Amino acid sequence: MSLPTLRFGRFELWPRERQLYVDGRPAALGARAYDLLVALTEHRDRLLSKSELLERVWPGVVVEENNLQVQISSLRKLLGPQAIATIPGRGYRFTVMVDGAADDGTSNATAGSAIPAATRVDAPALRPTNLPRELAPLYGREADLQALRS
């Protein structure tokens, strides 16, 4: 899946050019951090597990998990600390609201381009509980559900 040009806050992500622009100027971003940003923005509607990100950014290569943390850290320094949420034990999620996308190539990242401000979506607050992280589906409860409905 090829992403269109995405705009969020002061940033424009141009996947076809493999470039991130900040205020219309190219950002200094390494290849792995760029690939990580593309993966996070491409799947911004959901949480991405560490293993899924490692496979997408380092396909077919065995790497230490701290490589992912280093790249996440560099993206946070550039985009802001709230741009990527860490869900402990589960993975990461891109939390910046994307303002616009254009895949027709008409957008132009020049120094004078006006990019609307983004609205940030904060990650859900995680509170320690004794509940499992994900609930198992219930099977064989049709009769109980029917009784409750009636």
Side-chain angles (χ1 to χ4, degrees):
M1 172 171 145
S2 177
L3 273 178
T5 299
L6 298 177
R7 292 179 198 88
F8 45 97
R10 304 171 30 228
F11 304 94
E12 286 187 10
L13 180 64
W14 288 55
R16 289 188 192 117
E17 296 178 5
R18 289 190 54 82
Q19 186 64 55
L20 176 69
Y21 292 91
V22 182
D23 296 327
R25 297 178 187 196
L29 194 61
R32 298 296 186 185
Y34 176 84
D35 291 341
L36 179 59
L37 179 59
V38 168
L40 288 166
T41 56
E42 188 174 40
H43 299 285
R44 63 190 175 274
D45 59 330
R46 66 182 181 88
L47 180 76
L48 292 169
S49 70
K50 292 176 184 179
S51 60
E52 187 176 1
L53 286 170
L54 288 169
E55 182 56 36
R56 288 185 56 105
V57 177
W58 291 272
V61 178
V62 176
V63 295
E64 294 291 326
E65 196 174 293
N66 68 338
N67 287 331
L68 178 60
Q69 294 164 349
V70 166
Q71 301 306 322
I72 291 284
S73 177
S74 69
L75 284 174
R76 284 182 176 145
K77 285 178 186 173
L78 180 64
L79 302 173
Q82 300 300 318
I84 301 168
T86 301
I87 311 302
R90 296 189 59 206
Y92 298 93
R93 183 169 188 176
F94 188 73
T95 59
V96 177
M97 187 66 68
V98 173
D99 293 324
D103 57 350
D104 59 1
T106 59
S107 177
N108 187 11
T110 58
S113 65
I115 303 169
T119 305
R120 292 188 186 271
V121 179
D122 291 329
L126 294 177
R127 295 185 184 117
T129 69
N130 61 347
L131 298 174
R133 292 192 185 271
E134 291 186 28
L135 298 176
L138 297 175
Y139 296 104
R141 302 291 182 156
E142 292 81 16
D144 293 335
L145 290 172
Q146 184 60 36
L148 288 171
R149 285 188 203 108
S150 59

